[in-house]
Amino acid sequence: MKEIERLKDISKGRDDLEQLLNNTLDIIKACEDLESVTKARISILGKKGTVAGIFKKIPEFPYKDRPLLGEFGNLLKKVAEQELDSKEKQIRAAIREKKLAGLAIDVTLPGRGKPLGRRHILNMTIREIVSIFLSLGYRVIHGPEVELDYYNFEALNTPTYHPARSLQDTFYFKRDDPVKDSRDDVLLRTHTSPVQVRVMESTKPPLYVISPGKAYRRDEIDATHSAVFHQVEGFAVDRGITMGDLKGTLEVFAKKLFGEEKSVRFRPHFFPFTEPSAEVDVSCFACDTAGCSLCKGVGWLEIMGCGMIDPNVFSYVGYDPEEYQGFAFGMGVERIAMMKHGIDDMRLFYENDVRFLRQFHV
Ligand code: PHE
């Protein structure tokens, strides 16, 4: 650098100038951060700084020395500015370097695992039930949860005075235009059986249908009741279908679902839309029909309702009961999942505690 050589030249043999020059350069060299650069800038180039001090002192010197001192002051100012700027640049570069090093990605760090979702136990149970019927040649058809009284009750041979129709058991929708005919009342379906009517009404036999979905009842929520629950409906309509077909089908199903070693029995029951009707039981998981606390001494656990489709239902959908016969069944998914997995409180299904839900593999 030309200026520095000239400064050295001028200060040669003049201790005061030499010291001034060296001091100034040392101060700049010693700077380690931006703060010290700023301080040095002020102390060297500021109003009361080193360079200003030189110019202030010039009048005290003899005329002949003054131009040289002026040159010294100007050059020192220039050199100090350059040195301070390059020092500041250096420091800023180092800061940036350090920041980037902190941002560097360590590709050897193990990744953070994302927890994997899984199917809900109720959906797993529905799939398991449905897949057994798919293997028997059934097909899946869904129906609406918001239903007409006609499909939920009337066409299922459930007369107006039937207790299930009361406001106490069924969620009805309020209508702005109160209907004259109760069949037009809108409600949340209380079971999946209305799908039977909807499918038969629009499709000719043969029919082998399975229909999973939600159902609603005005139940107090407790360990075995929920206002929203799940059912799987199934029905078959064809020529020459007998109660033997119903029994055989449901026996195969129950053993596939609960285990070949289980026994299955049919117990007479009543449903308005089937005749004859029955409830299906499987031998108790804990005592195998001996009677214990799980089955409350009965020896058997109820798994579903079923029966031969009532000819009255056929007449609602325009089927000739002389030509076609059919059976139907409906089961509660929660109940079946509870039995299969030894769960004693239905509310666990809906609380979404992953510690509970994680446990199930089907
Ligand atoms: N729908 C009946 C219920 O909810 C079950 C059922 C379905 C019974 C089909 C017979 C035939 O209890």
Side-chain angles (χ1 to χ4, degrees):
M1 206 203 288
K2 273 201 330 255
E3 289 87 358
I4 260 234
E5 297 310 319
R6 179 75 185 131
L7 277 169
K8 278 179 185 161
D9 239 25
I10 296 171
S11 55
K12 197 168 273 164
R14 299 190 59 155
D15 287 352
D16 51 347
L17 293 187
E18 206 163 32
Q19 211 180 338
L20 215 57
L21 174 61
N22 289 336
N23 268 353
T24 303
L25 294 176
D26 285 348
I27 287 173
I28 299 174
K29 223 181 256 166
C31 289
E32 283 181 338
D33 49 33
L34 293 174
E35 203 173 277
S36 51
V37 172
T38 305
K39 265 190 192 152
R41 213 181 272 282
I42 292 167
S43 82
I44 298 164
L45 302 169
K47 246 187 223 165
K48 291 173 184 163
T50 314
V51 172
I54 293 169
F55 286 114
K56 211 189 249 166
K57 276 219 164 104
I58 288 179
E60 293 171 19
F61 287 83
Y63 276 115
K64 65 171 176 51
D65 292 340
R66 291 182 190 175
L68 207 63
L69 279 173
E71 189 186 355
F72 184 84
N74 281 325
L75 284 174
L76 189 64
K77 183 177 177 231
K78 198 169 170 192
V79 167
E81 272 170 354
Q82 283 171 357
E83 292 293 309
L84 282 163
D85 286 351
S86 90
K87 191 73 185 181
E88 188 174 330
K89 239 187 192 160
Q90 257 177 44
I91 291 169
R92 285 194 190 280
I95 290 171
R96 203 167 36 237
E97 230 13 71
K98 214 168 155 186
K99 214 168 165 184
L100 285 175
L103 287 176
I105 294 166
D106 180 355
V107 292
T108 67
L109 272 179
R112 251 166 264 160
K114 285 212 179 15
L116 208 57
R118 56 167 63 237
R119 242 167 228 127
H120 192 279
I121 172 64
L122 288 177
N123 277 327
M124 285 197 258
T125 308
I126 289 173
R127 278 175 163 248
E128 208 185 351
I129 294 166
V130 167
S131 74
I132 293 173
F133 283 100
L134 289 179
S135 77
L136 294 174
Y138 284 64
R139 65 186 154 128
V140 178
I141 300 181
H142 294 280
E145 290 167 22
V146 177
E147 242 326 346
L148 290 172
D149 174 287
Y150 176 78
Y151 292 104
N152 197 80
F153 293 125
E154 177 86 12
L156 285 168
N157 200 35
T158 308
T160 22
Y161 53 79
H162 194 281
R165 284 199 176 197
S166 85
L167 285 168
Q168 260 171 24
D169 301 307
T170 306
F171 290 109
Y172 284 93
F173 286 88
K174 260 212 181 88
R175 295 183 54 138
D176 297 334
D177 50 334
V179 288
K180 291 203 184 65
D181 194 332
S182 70
R183 289 176 293 194
D184 296 330
D185 278 337
V186 180
L187 45 79
L188 288 172
R189 66 179 180 188
T190 58
H191 52 176
T192 44
S193 297
V195 183
Q196 288 182 41
V197 183
R198 286 186 172 272
V199 172
M200 288 193 274
E201 188 181 72
S202 63
T203 325
K204 274 192 169 162
L207 279 175
Y208 294 84
V209 173
I210 196 86
S211 187
K214 288 192 188 76
Y216 302 80
R217 283 181 203 173
R218 295 185 60 149
D219 276 328
E220 284 302 328
I221 292 161
D222 62 24
T224 53
H225 294 85
S226 163
V228 188
F229 57 102
H230 299 76
Q231 286 191 331
V232 178
E233 189 82 8
F235 56 97
V237 185
D238 210 338
R239 291 194 174 89
I241 289 212
T242 69
M243 184 103 184
D245 297 315
L246 166 65
K247 290 183 73 177
T249 303
L250 295 182
E251 200 169 318
V252 166
F253 164 74
K255 289 189 173 196
K256 275 201 185 178
L257 188 66
F258 294 110
E260 293 296 331
E261 74 288 355
K262 298 286 183 304
S263 309
V264 181
R265 75 173 186 186
F266 292 74
R267 188 165 35 74
H269 199 73
F270 172 81
F271 296 104
F273 36 92
T274 47
E275 180 59 34
S277 304
E279 278 192 330
V280 185
D281 298 340
V282 288
S283 47
C284 176
F285 294 32
C287 66
D288 190 24
T289 73
C292 68
S293 60
L294 177 62
C295 56
K296 301 199 174 75
V298 179
W300 297 82
L301 298 166
E302 182 242 312
I303 58 164
M304 67 173 113
C306 67
M308 301 306 290
I309 297 175
D310 194 299
N312 282 341
V313 175
F314 281 152
S315 67
Y316 275 103
V317 299
Y319 285 3
D320 177 1
E322 295 297 323
E323 187 180 359
Y324 292 111
Q325 294 73 43
F327 62 75
F329 52 89
M331 63 194 95
V333 177
E334 280 80 353
R335 218 185 126 73
I336 285 179
M338 286 167 83
M339 282 164 54
K340 259 191 85 119
H341 301 283
I343 298 162
D344 59 9
D345 195 322
M346 201 183 269
R347 288 166 289 202
L348 288 165
F349 290 131
Y350 314 115
E351 282 164 0
N352 286 333
D353 182 337
V354 288
R355 291 168 304 178
F356 169 75
L357 296 173
R358 257 205 299 256
Q359 300 175 77
F360 304 101
H361 314 263
V362 175

